Amino acid sequence: MSIRPLAAPRPKRAPARAPAHALAVVLAAAALSACAPMAGGALPAAGPAAFDEADFAWSQAPGRNSIQGQVAFAQDGKAFSCVASVGLTPDTPYTRARFRTLYGSTERAAVPAAVVRARTVPDANANYADFVRSEPCRAGRFQFDGLPDGGWFVIAPVKADGDPIVLMRHVQTRGGRVVSLTL
């Protein structure tokens, strides 16, 4: 009878801990995949995401990233220019659901301001506005500095001759870099 030596047990590895903002990104990605566009471009009915101040905490940390942008939007042969400040909203499950309703997308959109105002959003009075940054748009340019790593929604109201249009674009900041953006 032969006796085989037992294999040495493998050392247990400590589970990796993701930063809080990484968890928010994972949750937002899961919410997005659950609300992905269906065939024919129709958006499924999505339930509202609850406002949770903790989801926004990552966006308040100081960072080394910047977003430098310019407005160069044209439609039907008309060039549009900024009509107000540009807003920057953190990407959270709440804002992602809100923007899907208001803009029909969480990546990019150009929607008449009247259409955005007419769309209803549950819990529209949540304190998320406390986390929205704003910078003036001067000569078609804007800049946000000191941003932490994470996802952001850039919102710029623009106008040519007629009614204003709201431009929206999702931007990712990471690694202390400057993101150049043209709307």
Side-chain angles (χ1 to χ4, degrees):
M1 171 185 208
S2 66
I3 299 177
R4 284 194 243 168
L6 294 173
R10 289 187 178 183
K12 291 186 179 180
R13 294 165 83 183
R17 293 195 174 231
H21 70 277
L23 179 58
V25 171
V26 169
L27 292 174
L32 176 61
S33 65
C35 300
M38 297 185 293
L43 293 173
F51 175 79
D52 184 352
E53 195 168 307
D55 290 339
F56 291 83
W58 67 268
S59 70
Q60 300 302 295
R64 299 175 299 132
N65 301 294
S66 295
I67 297 172
Q68 294 179 347
Q70 67 177 7
V71 173
F73 183 74
Q75 185 178 46
D76 299 329
K78 297 177 185 175
F80 286 69
S81 59
C82 296
V83 293
S85 294
V86 176
L88 187 67
T89 304
D91 183 346
T92 69
Y94 174 80
T95 55
R96 190 165 276 276
R98 180 178 174 80
F99 281 37
R100 178 166 292 286
T101 299
L102 294 175
Y103 301 101
S105 173
T106 55
E107 289 304 315
R108 67 181 340 167
V111 181
V115 172
V116 174
R117 283 190 300 270
R119 293 178 176 165
T120 58
V121 178
D123 195 22
N125 294 321
N127 292 333
Y128 90 97
D130 294 343
F131 300 96
V132 176
R133 299 174 191 222
S134 180
E135 287 294 332
C137 186
R138 294 186 180 105
R141 297 189 175 278
F142 58 90
Q143 182 165 333
F144 293 93
D145 293 314
L147 303 173
D149 290 355
W152 302 89
F153 294 104
V154 177
I155 306 297
V158 298
K159 187 172 181 174
D161 295 333
D163 292 328
I165 290 179
V166 182
L167 305 177
M168 183 276 295
R169 177 83 60 84
H170 186 262
V171 177
Q172 192 74 31
T173 57
R174 183 171 270 103
R177 295 195 173 123
V178 176
V179 176
S180 294
L181 175 67
T182 300
L183 298 172

